[in-house]
Amino acid sequence: MPLIIKDEYPEVLFREDGKRLDGREKNELRPIKMEVGVIKNADGSAYLEWGDNKIFAAVYGPREVHPHHLAKPDRGILRVFYRMATFSVFDRKRPAPGRREKEISMIISDCIEPILFLELYPGTSFEVFIEVINADGGTRCASTTVAALALADAGIPMKSLVSAVAVGKIDGKIVVDLSGIEDKAGEADLPCAITWYNKEISLLQFDGDMDLNEMSEFLDLAKDALGRIHQIQLEVLKSKFLTIQEKSDEIIVNKENQGES
Amino acid sequence: MMDVKRVISKIEKNYIINNLRKQERIDGRGLWDYRKFKIQSDIISSAEGSADVSLGETRIITGLKYEVGEPFPDLPNEGVCTVMAELLPLASPLFERGPPDEQSIELARVVDRGIRHADCVQTKKLCIKENEAVYILFVDMYVINYDGNLIDAGGISALTTLISAHIPEGKIENGNLEWTGKYFTGESIVNELPIVITYGKIGDIVFLDPNLPEELVCDGRISISVTEDKITSIQKSGAATFSIDELKMLGDKSLEIGKKLRKDLNLWQYKAKYK
């Protein structure tokens, strides 16, 4: 039977003043908040709030491979498990992982692999677990961004971070960072990610239609937005170590004071 | 990163037991103290109710979804409330991927039974039309970090989620299901607040709220659900045995601890603000 309130989309995605329904300009990102070290048991972890998306990521590794036959004698393997909570979407999702989750896991894994030095860890695995507890459009990009942060938090050697965002076309106009409604009611959607060590595209999907001019506009807009996301990632990581530095400074000062008195 | 081990060394085990004999815990608590509860409610916009509950470092996020379906033939005017638990591999190196295992099913079942037999959810109010349409509530718990005693954290998490519920009110008109424009809130569907309280047992020592190392070395556990004045469900698990005197003592203790916890947590403060 259907639900009592129906999941309906508006017909127009721009307000009269030219802004988007949530009040954003075309090239404006939703508010992003990130945090590292949120899951104490994990080797590395991160939490991300991106608009109404809420996502946890945890990294375990390098560790023994289960099942053992997946181990590679010359290098480590990266396994990403992207999952959504049953209550993260409008219609309750079935608890078992579906085809969509498996595909996105693979896309994210392929996106992240270039930044790691897997050849230095033969016979081991790195496992990245991503749990979306609230979804509102662009979860694969948000998940990639938070997974990179969790890997960095785990202290795993990396060539650089990777950041991801979706660009799209709504009501004929090209905009950055589609929200849930814009994603469902819009015409085109292009999630992409950049690995910063070579500034190349590492995740790319597209659904919709575009001409060549639009494609270059899409990619330019994405690059600009990705730069801003990268800055946030770097600041979050830095602030973790600054906090540790401040604490150790405090301890040193306290000890010195005790020595004087 | 916390140090999580599947097997705890003899030395550490003896350390834990010797401390318990002196009425002390490795984390500084007394035998009958809970770790600190931290509760946030209504944190998930896509759910019809939610809670983020931490008990020490154990953390569980729970969300409520609903569907409208046909009632069971033997209960034509009652809705249904089901509880599910996922031990995410993200939460601990001890959890593995794959379909629910014994531990997650036990967690879901113990929390479910605690609620079911205590006149907690008013299933008769979850009926839209007799024999035709009732609400089916899904209370889904996700373990985000595991540091022992999932059952108590899960119980509080499920209760807070139900209290924070805001479910669209439906009616059947000309054979169609329609929204009345109002919401059911937790206040109107939750009556009693059964609180599940778990004890660990090592040798002949019983203690409240085992943390992870204690849980790994203890012989067994017992979980007792209590309302204001009654015991509503019990689950003994693990290879421990309890004497009858011990059970009488734990029954008394549970009512006392339940009373205090219910007052301290004041769960009704988390009720939804929808009307």
Side-chain angles (χ1 to χ4, degrees):
Chain A
M1 256 214 207
L3 295 177
I4 292 167
I5 298 181
K6 317 272 180 306
D7 195 8
E8 284 165 349
Y9 318 130
E11 280 180 14
V12 185
L13 292 168
F14 280 97
R15 304 195 310 206
E16 278 178 7
D17 59 359
K19 290 186 175 170
R20 292 150 75 179
L21 290 181
D22 50 12
R24 284 187 289 155
E25 299 289 349
K26 280 182 221 138
N27 64 348
E28 198 177 334
L29 294 166
R30 288 173 283 176
I32 300 179
K33 206 183 93 189
M34 303 184 206
E35 213 180 315
V36 290
V38 289
I39 297 169
K40 295 279 183 333
N41 283 343
D43 295 324
S45 59
Y47 172 66
L48 168 79
E49 287 185 14
W50 183 329
D52 242 351
N53 287 315
K54 292 185 178 172
I55 305 173
F56 284 95
V59 173
Y60 289 90
R63 66 177 178 184
E64 211 172 308
V65 189
H66 285 291
H68 200 69
H69 67 85
L70 293 177
K72 294 197 172 149
D74 60 335
R75 61 192 206 94
I77 58 168
L78 171 69
R79 306 177 77 199
V80 174
F81 302 97
Y82 163 98
R83 296 286 183 266
M84 289 177 102
T86 52
F87 47 76
S88 66
V89 281
F90 190 81
D91 289 290
R92 178 177 185 262
K93 198 195 81 71
R94 292 158 82 61
R99 287 154 52 93
R100 179 180 169 277
E101 284 159 298
K102 286 186 178 161
E103 188 218 338
I104 293 180
S105 300
M106 191 199 76
I107 294 284
I108 296 175
S109 168
D110 292 348
C111 168
I112 292 174
E113 200 172 313
I115 63 172
L116 298 175
F117 298 92
L118 290 178
E119 64 280 8
L120 299 181
Y121 300 90
T124 66
S125 75
F126 292 94
E127 276 158 38
V128 182
F129 299 103
I130 299 164
E131 193 68 33
V132 179
I133 58 163
N134 204 153
D136 183 32
T139 55
R140 75 193 65 191
C141 295
S143 298
T144 309
T145 307
V146 70
L149 212 53
L151 282 162
D153 181 52
I156 293 164
M158 292 157 77
K159 293 171 196 161
S160 74
L161 284 169
V162 53
S163 321
V165 78
V167 207
K169 194 157 69 169
I170 55 171
D171 291 358
K173 295 182 184 114
I174 295 178
V175 296
V176 79
D177 185 20
L178 299 175
S179 69
I181 293 172
E182 291 170 340
D183 189 16
K184 286 172 198 154
E187 295 117 59
D189 172 29
L190 180 138
C192 68
I194 286 185
T195 46
W196 292 104
Y197 72 96
N198 59 1
K199 298 196 174 56
E200 290 191 346
I201 305 279
S202 172
L203 179 156
L204 189 63
Q205 292 184 302
F206 178 74
D207 292 294
D209 63 88
M210 60 179 170
D211 58 35
L212 280 179
N213 286 335
E214 279 175 334
M215 179 162 135
S216 63
E217 202 182 326
F218 269 126
L219 293 173
D220 288 343
L221 204 58
K223 198 178 169 194
D224 171 61
L226 286 169
R228 280 176 274 158
I229 296 164
H230 188 216
Q231 276 311 312
I232 303 176
Q233 284 173 302
L234 289 175
E235 270 156 33
V236 170
L237 278 176
K238 254 189 230 160
S239 72
K240 173 190 169 183
F241 293 106
L242 282 178
T243 327
I244 295 171
Q245 175 78 43
E246 275 164 21
K247 276 186 189 155
S248 71
D249 286 350
E250 245 169 60
I251 293 168
I252 293 168
V253 171
N254 285 345
K255 275 193 179 157
E256 278 171 359
N257 289 348
Q258 279 169 3
E260 281 165 18
S261 65
Chain B
M1 182 202 172
M2 286 191 333
D3 197 14
V4 181
K5 288 162 280 192
R6 217 168 280 265
V7 180
I8 290 214
S9 70
K10 272 252 160 68
I11 297 174
E12 198 172 343
K13 183 173 178 173
N14 288 337
Y15 175 69
I16 293 171
I17 295 172
N18 290 336
N19 269 302
L20 285 171
R21 286 221 176 87
K22 288 185 284 180
Q23 311 262 311
E24 282 168 16
R25 309 278 284 271
I26 48 171
D27 53 10
R29 284 182 289 157
L31 288 190
W32 309 107
D33 293 341
Y34 259 115
R35 288 170 288 172
K36 202 170 166 327
F37 274 103
K38 222 172 77 190
I39 303 175
Q40 268 184 295
S41 72
D42 208 10
I43 48 156
I44 291 164
S45 60
S46 53
E48 276 79 30
S50 54
D52 177 354
V53 172
S54 297
L55 173 56
E57 291 292 348
T58 290
R59 183 173 180 192
I60 299 183
I61 294 184
T62 307
L64 176 78
K65 292 299 287 178
Y66 78 96
E67 275 172 17
V68 177
E70 275 182 31
F72 290 116
D74 54 337
L75 298 168
N77 62 345
E78 289 192 28
V80 184
C81 177
T82 61
V83 180
M84 186 203 73
E86 285 245 18
L87 309 184
L88 300 177
L90 157 139
S92 166
L94 304 178
F95 295 162
E96 280 167 17
R97 291 181 306 114
D101 62 352
E102 285 171 0
Q103 201 187 353
S104 74
I105 289 170
E106 189 198 24
L107 168 60
R109 296 245 329 138
V110 173
V111 171
D112 193 10
R113 284 166 37 215
I115 289 172
R116 198 174 291 270
H117 300 295
D119 192 28
C120 171
V121 179
Q122 303 295 294
T123 46
K124 287 206 172 96
K125 289 195 180 156
L126 295 173
C127 176
I128 299 172
K129 192 171 183 197
E130 203 171 310
N131 280 317
E132 276 181 33
V134 296
Y135 288 95
I136 299 165
L137 303 187
F138 297 93
V139 176
D140 296 332
M141 306 188 277
Y142 284 79
V143 179
I144 301 291
N145 196 61
Y146 172 45
D147 191 27
N149 200 2
L150 293 172
I151 289 178
D152 294 9
I156 296 295
S157 181
L159 274 186
T160 313
T161 301
L162 285 167
I163 286 172
S164 76
H166 41 86
I167 303 162
E169 197 180 64
K171 59 173 182 215
I172 301 253
E173 213 157 85
N174 308 327
N176 289 326
L177 182 61
E178 277 173 27
W179 183 31
T180 61
K182 287 192 207 143
Y183 288 91
F184 267 121
T185 58
E187 231 174 341
S188 57
I189 52 170
V190 179
N191 185 26
E192 286 278 357
L193 296 182
I195 287 187
V196 50
I197 298 165
T198 298
Y199 306 87
K201 184 173 185 185
I202 301 178
D204 55 356
I205 312 161
V206 184
F207 51 94
L208 179 68
D209 180 24
N211 61 25
L212 184 57
E214 287 167 347
E215 201 164 286
L216 290 176
V217 301
C218 74
D219 303 328
R221 282 173 291 140
I222 189 161
S223 300
I224 303 178
S225 292
V226 290
T227 57
E228 276 312 327
D229 52 359
K230 282 197 175 71
I231 293 173
T232 61
S233 82
I234 299 180
Q235 174 94 345
K236 192 232 98 179
S237 57
T241 51
F242 290 83
S243 72
I244 290 177
D245 284 341
E246 248 169 4
L247 291 175
K248 287 179 183 163
M249 184 271 286
L250 287 178
D252 266 355
K253 212 82 200 166
S254 301
L255 286 174
E256 181 194 316
I257 292 168
K259 209 162 264 172
K260 183 170 181 305
L261 201 60
R262 196 171 286 118
K263 192 162 153 270
D264 290 350
L265 298 180
N266 182 21
L267 292 176
W268 283 113
Q269 67 178 295
Y270 301 107
K271 67 188 178 202
K273 289 170 190 73
Y274 294 74
K275 267 278 169 271

Coordinates of all heavy atoms in Angstrom, one line a residue, chain A residues 143-199:
Chain A
S143 N 30.0 10.6 0.1 CA 30.7 9.4 0.6 C 32.2 9.3 0.2 O 33.0 8.9 1.0 CB 30.0 8.1 0.2 OG 28.6 8.1 0.6
T144 N 32.4 9.6 -1.0 CA 33.8 9.6 -1.5 C 34.7 10.6 -0.7 O 35.8 10.3 -0.2 CB 33.9 10.0 -3.0 OG1 33.0 9.1 -3.7 CG2 35.3 9.8 -3.5
T145 N 34.1 11.8 -0.5 CA 34.8 12.9 0.2 C 35.1 12.4 1.7 O 36.2 12.6 2.2 CB 33.9 14.1 0.2 OG1 33.6 14.4 -1.2 CG2 34.6 15.3 0.8
V146 N 34.1 11.8 2.3 CA 34.3 11.5 3.7 C 35.2 10.2 3.9 O 35.9 10.1 4.8 CB 32.9 11.3 4.4 CG1 32.1 10.1 4.0 CG2 33.1 11.3 5.9
A147 N 35.1 9.4 2.9 CA 36.0 8.2 2.9 C 37.5 8.6 2.8 O 38.3 8.0 3.5 CB 35.7 7.2 1.7
A148 N 37.8 9.6 1.9 CA 39.2 10.1 1.8 C 39.6 10.6 3.2 O 40.8 10.4 3.6 CB 39.2 11.1 0.7
L149 N 38.7 11.3 3.8 CA 39.1 11.9 5.1 C 39.3 10.8 6.2 O 40.3 10.9 7.0 CB 37.9 12.8 5.6 CG 38.2 14.0 6.4 CD1 39.2 14.9 5.7 CD2 36.9 14.8 6.6
A150 N 38.5 9.8 6.2 CA 38.7 8.7 7.1 C 40.1 8.0 6.9 O 40.7 7.6 7.8 CB 37.6 7.7 7.0
L151 N 40.4 7.8 5.6 CA 41.7 7.2 5.3 C 42.9 8.0 5.8 O 43.8 7.5 6.4 CB 41.8 7.0 3.7 CG 41.1 5.8 3.1 CD1 40.9 6.0 1.6 CD2 41.8 4.5 3.4
A152 N 42.7 9.3 5.6 CA 43.8 10.2 6.1 C 43.8 10.2 7.6 O 44.9 10.2 8.2 CB 43.5 11.7 5.7
D153 N 42.7 10.1 8.3 CA 42.6 10.0 9.7 C 43.3 8.7 10.3 O 43.8 8.7 11.3 CB 41.2 10.1 10.2 CG 41.0 10.0 11.7 OD1 41.7 10.8 12.4 OD2 40.3 9.2 12.2
A154 N 43.2 7.7 9.4 CA 43.8 6.4 9.8 C 45.3 6.4 9.7 O 46.0 5.5 10.1 CB 43.3 5.3 9.0
G155 N 45.9 7.5 9.1 CA 47.3 7.7 9.0 C 47.9 6.8 7.9 O 49.1 6.4 7.9
I156 N 47.1 6.4 6.9 CA 47.5 5.6 5.8 C 48.2 6.5 4.8 O 47.7 7.5 4.5 CB 46.3 4.8 5.2 CG1 45.8 3.8 6.2 CG2 46.7 4.1 3.9 CD1 44.4 3.3 5.9
P157 N 49.4 6.1 4.3 CA 50.1 6.9 3.4 C 49.2 7.2 2.1 O 48.7 6.2 1.6 CB 51.4 6.1 3.0 CG 51.6 5.2 4.2 CD 50.2 4.9 4.7
M158 N 49.1 8.4 1.7 CA 48.3 8.7 0.6 C 49.0 9.8 -0.3 O 49.8 10.6 0.2 CB 47.0 9.4 1.0 CG 46.0 8.4 1.7 SD 44.9 9.3 2.8 CE 43.7 9.9 1.5
K159 N 48.8 9.7 -1.6 CA 49.4 10.7 -2.5 C 48.7 12.1 -2.3 O 49.4 13.1 -2.4 CB 49.2 10.3 -3.9 CG 50.0 9.0 -4.3 CD 49.7 8.5 -5.6 CE 50.2 7.1 -5.8 NZ 49.5 6.3 -6.9
S160 N 47.5 12.1 -2.0 CA 46.7 13.3 -1.8 C 45.3 12.9 -1.3 O 45.0 11.7 -1.3 CB 46.6 14.1 -3.1 OG 45.7 13.5 -3.9
L161 N 44.5 13.9 -1.1 CA 43.1 13.6 -0.8 C 42.4 13.5 -2.1 O 42.9 13.8 -3.2 CB 42.5 14.7 0.0 CG 42.9 14.8 1.5 CD1 42.4 16.1 2.1 CD2 42.2 13.6 2.3
V162 N 41.1 13.1 -2.0 CA 40.2 13.2 -3.2 C 38.9 13.8 -2.8 O 38.5 13.6 -1.6 CB 40.0 11.7 -3.8 CG1 39.5 10.8 -2.8 CG2 39.0 11.8 -5.0
S163 N 38.4 14.7 -3.6 CA 37.1 15.4 -3.3 C 36.1 15.1 -4.4 O 36.5 15.0 -5.6 CB 37.3 16.9 -3.1 OG 38.5 17.2 -2.5
A164 N 34.9 15.1 -4.1 CA 33.9 14.8 -5.1 C 32.7 15.7 -4.9 O 32.3 16.1 -3.8 CB 33.4 13.3 -5.0
V165 N 32.0 16.0 -6.1 CA 30.8 16.8 -6.1 C 30.0 16.4 -7.3 O 30.5 15.9 -8.3 CB 31.1 18.3 -6.0 CG1 31.5 18.8 -7.4 CG2 29.9 19.1 -5.5
A166 N 28.7 16.7 -7.3 CA 27.8 16.5 -8.5 C 27.5 17.8 -9.1 O 27.2 18.8 -8.3 CB 26.6 15.7 -8.1
V167 N 27.5 17.9 -10.4 CA 27.1 19.1 -11.1 C 25.9 18.6 -11.9 O 25.8 17.4 -12.3 CB 28.1 19.6 -12.1 CG1 28.0 21.1 -12.3 CG2 29.5 19.3 -11.6
G168 N 24.9 19.5 -12.2 CA 23.8 19.0 -12.9 C 23.1 20.1 -13.7 O 23.5 21.3 -13.6
K169 N 22.0 19.8 -14.3 CA 21.2 20.7 -15.1 C 19.8 20.7 -14.6 O 19.2 19.6 -14.6 CB 21.3 20.4 -16.6 CG 20.8 21.5 -17.5 CD 21.3 21.4 -18.9 CE 20.8 20.2 -19.6 NZ 21.1 20.2 -21.1
I170 N 19.3 21.8 -14.1 CA 17.9 21.9 -13.6 C 17.2 23.0 -14.3 O 17.8 24.1 -14.4 CB 17.8 22.0 -12.1 CG1 18.6 23.2 -11.6 CG2 18.3 20.7 -11.4 CD1 18.3 23.5 -10.1
D171 N 16.0 22.8 -14.8 CA 15.3 23.8 -15.6 C 16.2 24.5 -16.7 O 16.2 25.7 -16.9 CB 14.7 24.9 -14.7 CG 13.6 24.4 -13.8 OD1 13.3 23.2 -14.0 OD2 13.1 25.1 -13.0
G172 N 17.1 23.7 -17.3 CA 17.9 24.2 -18.4 C 19.1 24.9 -17.9 O 19.9 25.4 -18.7
K173 N 19.3 25.1 -16.6 CA 20.5 25.8 -16.1 C 21.5 24.9 -15.4 O 21.0 24.0 -14.7 CB 20.1 26.9 -15.2 CG 19.2 28.0 -15.9 CD 18.8 29.1 -14.9 CE 17.9 30.1 -15.6 NZ 16.6 30.1 -15.0
I174 N 22.8 25.2 -15.6 CA 23.8 24.3 -15.0 C 24.1 24.8 -13.6 O 24.4 26.0 -13.3 CB 25.0 24.3 -15.9 CG1 24.7 23.6 -17.2 CG2 26.2 23.5 -15.2 CD1 25.8 23.6 -18.2
V175 N 24.0 23.9 -12.6 CA 24.2 24.2 -11.2 C 25.1 23.2 -10.5 O 25.3 22.1 -11.0 CB 22.8 24.3 -10.4 CG1 21.9 25.4 -10.9 CG2 22.2 22.9 -10.4
V176 N 25.7 23.6 -9.4 CA 26.6 22.7 -8.7 C 25.9 22.1 -7.5 O 24.9 22.7 -6.9 CB 27.9 23.5 -8.3 CG1 27.6 24.3 -7.1 CG2 29.0 22.6 -8.1
D177 N 26.3 20.9 -7.1 CA 25.8 20.3 -5.8 C 24.3 20.1 -5.8 O 23.6 20.8 -5.0 CB 26.3 21.0 -4.6 CG 26.0 20.4 -3.3 OD1 25.7 19.2 -3.3 OD2 26.0 21.0 -2.3
L178 N 23.7 19.2 -6.5 CA 22.3 19.0 -6.6 C 21.8 18.4 -5.3 O 22.3 17.5 -4.7 CB 22.0 17.9 -7.7 CG 22.4 18.3 -9.1 CD1 22.1 17.1 -10.0 CD2 21.6 19.5 -9.6
S179 N 20.7 19.0 -4.8 CA 20.0 18.5 -3.6 C 19.1 17.3 -4.0 O 19.0 17.1 -5.2 CB 19.2 19.6 -2.9 OG 18.1 19.9 -3.8
G180 N 18.5 16.7 -3.1 CA 17.7 15.5 -3.3 C 16.6 15.8 -4.4 O 16.4 15.1 -5.3
I181 N 15.9 16.9 -4.1 CA 14.8 17.3 -5.0 C 15.3 17.6 -6.4 O 14.8 17.1 -7.4 CB 14.0 18.5 -4.5 CG1 13.3 18.1 -3.2 CG2 13.0 19.0 -5.5 CD1 12.7 19.3 -2.5
E182 N 16.4 18.4 -6.5 CA 17.0 18.8 -7.8 C 17.5 17.5 -8.5 O 17.4 17.5 -9.8 CB 18.1 19.7 -7.6 CG 17.7 21.1 -7.0 CD 18.8 22.0 -6.6 OE1 19.9 21.5 -6.3 OE2 18.6 23.2 -6.5
D183 N 18.0 16.6 -7.8 CA 18.5 15.4 -8.4 C 17.4 14.6 -9.1 O 17.5 14.1 -10.2 CB 19.2 14.5 -7.3 CG 19.9 13.3 -7.9 OD1 20.2 13.3 -9.1 OD2 20.3 12.4 -7.1
K184 N 16.2 14.5 -8.4 CA 15.1 13.7 -8.9 C 14.4 14.4 -10.0 O 13.9 13.8 -10.9 CB 14.2 13.3 -7.7 CG 14.7 12.3 -6.8 CD 13.8 12.1 -5.6 CE 14.5 11.4 -4.5 NZ 14.0 11.7 -3.2
A185 N 14.2 15.8 -9.8 CA 13.4 16.5 -10.8 C 14.2 17.1 -11.9 O 13.6 17.6 -12.9 CB 12.6 17.6 -10.0
G186 N 15.5 17.1 -11.8 CA 16.4 17.8 -12.8 C 16.5 17.0 -14.0 O 16.0 15.9 -14.2
E187 N 17.3 17.6 -15.0 CA 17.4 16.9 -16.3 C 18.7 16.2 -16.4 O 18.8 15.2 -17.2 CB 17.4 18.0 -17.4 CG 16.1 18.7 -17.6 CD 16.2 20.1 -17.3 OE1 16.9 20.8 -18.0 OE2 15.5 20.6 -16.4
A188 N 19.8 16.6 -15.8 CA 21.1 16.0 -15.9 C 21.9 16.0 -14.6 O 21.7 16.9 -13.8 CB 21.9 16.6 -17.0
D189 N 22.7 15.0 -14.5 CA 23.5 14.8 -13.2 C 24.8 14.2 -13.5 O 24.9 13.2 -14.2 CB 22.6 13.8 -12.3 CG 23.4 13.4 -11.1 OD1 24.2 14.2 -10.6 OD2 23.1 12.3 -10.6
L190 N 25.9 14.9 -13.1 CA 27.2 14.5 -13.4 C 28.1 14.5 -12.1 O 28.6 15.5 -11.7 CB 27.9 15.4 -14.5 CG 29.3 15.2 -14.9 CD1 29.4 15.3 -16.4 CD2 30.3 16.1 -14.2
P191 N 28.1 13.4 -11.4 CA 29.0 13.3 -10.3 C 30.5 13.1 -10.7 O 30.7 12.4 -11.7 CB 28.5 12.0 -9.5 CG 27.6 11.3 -10.4 CD 27.4 12.1 -11.7
C192 N 31.4 13.8 -10.1 CA 32.8 13.7 -10.5 C 33.7 13.9 -9.3 O 33.3 14.6 -8.3 CB 33.2 14.6 -11.7 SG 33.2 16.3 -11.3
A193 N 34.9 13.4 -9.4 CA 35.9 13.6 -8.3 C 37.2 13.9 -8.8 O 37.6 13.4 -9.9 CB 35.9 12.3 -7.4
I194 N 38.0 14.6 -8.1 CA 39.4 14.9 -8.5 C 40.4 14.4 -7.4 O 40.2 14.6 -6.2 CB 39.6 16.5 -8.6 CG1 38.9 16.9 -9.9 CG2 41.1 16.8 -8.7 CD1 39.2 18.4 -10.2
T195 N 41.4 13.7 -7.9 CA 42.5 13.3 -7.1 C 43.5 14.4 -7.2 O 44.0 14.7 -8.2 CB 43.2 12.0 -7.5 OG1 43.4 12.0 -9.0 CG2 42.3 10.8 -7.2
W196 N 43.9 15.0 -6.0 CA 44.6 16.3 -6.0 C 46.1 16.1 -6.4 O 46.7 17.1 -6.8 CB 44.4 17.0 -4.7 CG 43.0 17.5 -4.6 CD1 42.0 16.9 -3.8 CD2 42.3 18.5 -5.3 NE1 40.8 17.5 -4.0 CE2 41.0 18.5 -4.9 CE3 42.7 19.5 -6.3 CZ2 40.1 19.5 -5.4 CZ3 41.8 20.4 -6.8 CH2 40.5 20.4 -6.3
Y197 N 46.7 14.9 -6.2 CA 48.1 14.8 -6.5 C 48.4 15.0 -8.0 O 49.4 15.5 -8.4 CB 48.7 13.4 -6.1 CG 48.2 12.2 -6.9 CD1 49.0 11.7 -7.9 CD2 47.0 11.6 -6.6 CE1 48.7 10.6 -8.7 CE2 46.6 10.5 -7.4 CZ 47.4 10.0 -8.4 OH 47.1 9.0 -9.1
N198 N 47.4 14.7 -8.9 CA 47.6 14.9 -10.3 C 46.5 15.8 -10.9 O 46.5 16.1 -12.1 CB 47.7 13.6 -11.1 CG 46.5 12.7 -10.9 OD1 45.5 13.1 -10.3 ND2 46.5 11.6 -11.6
K199 N 45.6 16.2 -10.1 CA 44.5 17.1 -10.5 C 43.7 16.5 -11.6 O 43.3 17.2 -12.6 CB 45.0 18.5 -10.8 CG 45.6 19.2 -9.7 CD 45.7 20.7 -10.0 CE 46.2 21.5 -8.8 NZ 47.6 21.0 -8.3

